[in-house]
Amino acid sequence: MDHQLLIARLNEKGLKVTPQRIAVLNAVYQLGGHPTAERIIEVVRRNNPNIATGTVYKILESFVGIELLRRVKTDKDIMRYDAILEKHHHLYCADSENIEDYFDQELDKIIEDYFKKKEIPDFHIEEIKLQIIGRFSSGS
């Protein structure tokens, strides 16, 4: 992602722009998909070999806290990070642990309508995210 766009994303969220934050955010966008913290650290350290592991974890958690990233947990409890903030679900491959984004407005509407009819007492739904577990025929 363009350096100026990374700076703009941090500014939009009211964060101080630091080289470490830019490096972490750039790594997430560069990797795409749903990278693990360990994979993000590998990429960040290519150009910033002295960045502490704890620093990267703190930055990732601060990004989650201000909704710049979202956490995605796999079936095996591995934490990954997602930079796509628009409403979507995940297709999780049980063989490869690959996670694919799945956008479906019709499914969203069906789920929202279903829960409106159910009227769960004393509970307000803020967001519905599905993780659909299966296997891709190609094994990806």
Side-chain angles (χ1 to χ4, degrees):
M1 179 177 262
D2 178 85
H3 189 76
Q4 292 304 317
L5 288 173
L6 293 172
I7 291 172
R9 295 290 310 247
L10 294 172
N11 282 329
E12 286 168 12
K13 295 294 185 173
L15 280 179
K16 181 178 177 187
V17 176
T18 67
Q20 295 87 349
R21 286 181 176 149
I22 290 173
V24 171
L25 192 56
N26 186 50
V28 172
Y29 283 111
Q30 182 183 337
L31 288 165
H34 306 85
T36 62
E38 291 76 20
R39 188 75 183 98
I40 294 165
I41 291 166
E42 283 177 32
V43 171
V44 167
R45 284 195 173 148
R46 287 182 195 155
N47 295 319
N48 304 277
N50 296 324
I51 193 166
T53 300
T55 299
V56 175
Y57 276 100
K58 285 179 186 174
I59 290 170
L60 288 170
E61 288 310 302
S62 72
F63 287 173
V64 169
I66 60 165
E67 298 179 349
L68 191 55
L69 297 177
R70 289 189 179 165
R71 284 189 214 99
V72 177
K73 192 186 289 191
T74 68
D75 207 33
K76 295 181 181 176
D77 286 336
I78 296 171
M79 191 61 65
R80 295 183 176 206
Y81 294 88
D82 191 352
I84 298 176
L85 302 177
E86 294 84 19
K87 182 187 287 190
H88 69 283
H89 308 289
H90 292 119
L91 302 176
Y92 174 74
C93 182
D95 291 331
S96 67
E97 295 189 42
N98 185 38
I99 300 171
E100 296 287 331
D101 294 319
Y102 182 69
F103 297 85
D104 188 327
Q105 290 180 348
E106 183 181 357
L107 176 61
D108 296 339
K109 176 107 175 78
I110 290 168
I111 293 170
E112 288 167 11
D113 291 346
Y114 174 84
F115 281 104
K116 277 182 190 171
K117 289 178 193 169
K118 289 296 177 182
E119 296 181 11
I120 302 170
D122 301 320
F123 188 76
H124 173 72
I125 296 173
E126 295 176 0
E127 180 180 27
I128 298 172
K129 296 184 284 186
L130 294 180
Q131 179 162 292
I132 304 162
I133 301 170
R135 289 177 170 76
F136 292 104
S137 6
S138 65
S140 64

